[in-house]
Amino acid sequence: MEINWMIAGPVLAGILGIVIGYLMGYATKKSPDSKKELEAWENKYEAKNRELNTSLEKRKELENTISNLQTRLSNVESELASSKSKLNAVQNIASGTTETVNSFRSEEARRAYGKDVIQDDLTIVEGITIEIASLLKQNGINTWKELSTTSAERCREILTSSGRATDTHQPATWPDQARLAYEGKWEELREWQNKHKVMV
């Protein structure tokens, strides 16, 4: 059977046109959707990128804050160490001064008096006899330091209460003499006693 191309040709061309038109229409119809989908993905990507950049900026800010805090902490630690060092120096000075004052130097006392001097012997004070020293100890005055901080009036009261006449003793000088003894100023004490002999 022979095909009549005069008839079939236009039919085939029509069918082919329909198919091509359908395909073009389909492609044209799907293209906007693909474009929208692509734009949606691009928007999501840009949003994630912005979110990531924001996170990175916040991280940098936190790192800078941590760095600043570490620097401040280091400075505080340095200042604290310096303060401790100064405090230790002051304490050492105070401790050294205390040790110097409280340290009895018997050799210096012996050189000044030409004899052995017993620590906290109240009779080294001009005007205090063994009996008076015992009387003072009975009233809680046992050391040079304690006598140096006792008022002359209190010394007079102790003498008066024991029935001793204060006009034959000069307790007004006792605290000052005791202070010199406590501070270890033996030459100064001896020189003062030589210039200010008091009656016993």
Side-chain angles (χ1 to χ4, degrees), residues 23-156:
L23 290 175
M24 289 181 67
Y26 180 80
T28 304
K29 183 179 179 182
K30 294 296 289 184
S31 179
D33 291 341
S34 298
K35 186 176 181 181
K36 288 180 180 179
E37 186 176 349
L38 180 61
E39 288 177 352
W41 279 106
E42 286 179 350
N43 290 337
K44 288 181 180 180
Y45 170 77
E46 289 177 357
K48 290 291 183 181
N49 193 40
R50 286 193 298 269
E51 184 179 339
L52 179 61
N53 289 334
T54 301
S55 298
L56 289 174
E57 289 176 359
K58 289 182 178 179
R59 180 178 177 178
K60 288 180 180 179
E61 290 177 0
L62 288 174
E63 288 176 348
N64 290 335
T65 301
I66 291 172
S67 178
N68 291 335
L69 289 174
Q70 288 175 337
T71 301
R72 291 174 62 183
L73 178 60
S74 178
N75 291 336
V76 169
E77 288 176 345
S78 297
E79 291 177 2
L80 180 60
S82 177
S83 297
K84 286 182 177 179
S85 177
K86 291 177 181 178
L87 178 60
N88 288 335
V90 170
Q91 288 176 337
N92 289 336
I93 291 173
S95 176
T97 301
T98 302
E99 290 175 359
T100 300
V101 171
N102 290 336
S103 178
F104 174 60
R105 297 181 292 277
S106 60
E107 289 297 326
E108 293 182 15
R110 184 185 297 112
R111 282 197 300 270
Y113 283 87
K115 63 178 182 179
D116 289 334
V117 176
I118 300 174
Q119 185 174 5
D120 290 322
D121 178 8
L122 299 180
T123 63
I124 198 69
V125 173
E126 191 74 33
I128 296 180
T129 63
I130 294 175
E131 293 78 10
I132 294 177
S134 177
L135 184 62
L136 292 172
K137 289 181 180 180
Q138 290 173 20
N139 285 271
I141 304 172
N142 300 289
T143 65
W144 295 325
K145 182 178 181 181
E146 290 172 347
L147 181 55
S148 71
T149 58
T150 303
S151 67
E153 186 58 34
R154 174 59 182 151
C155 292
R156 287 193 187 93

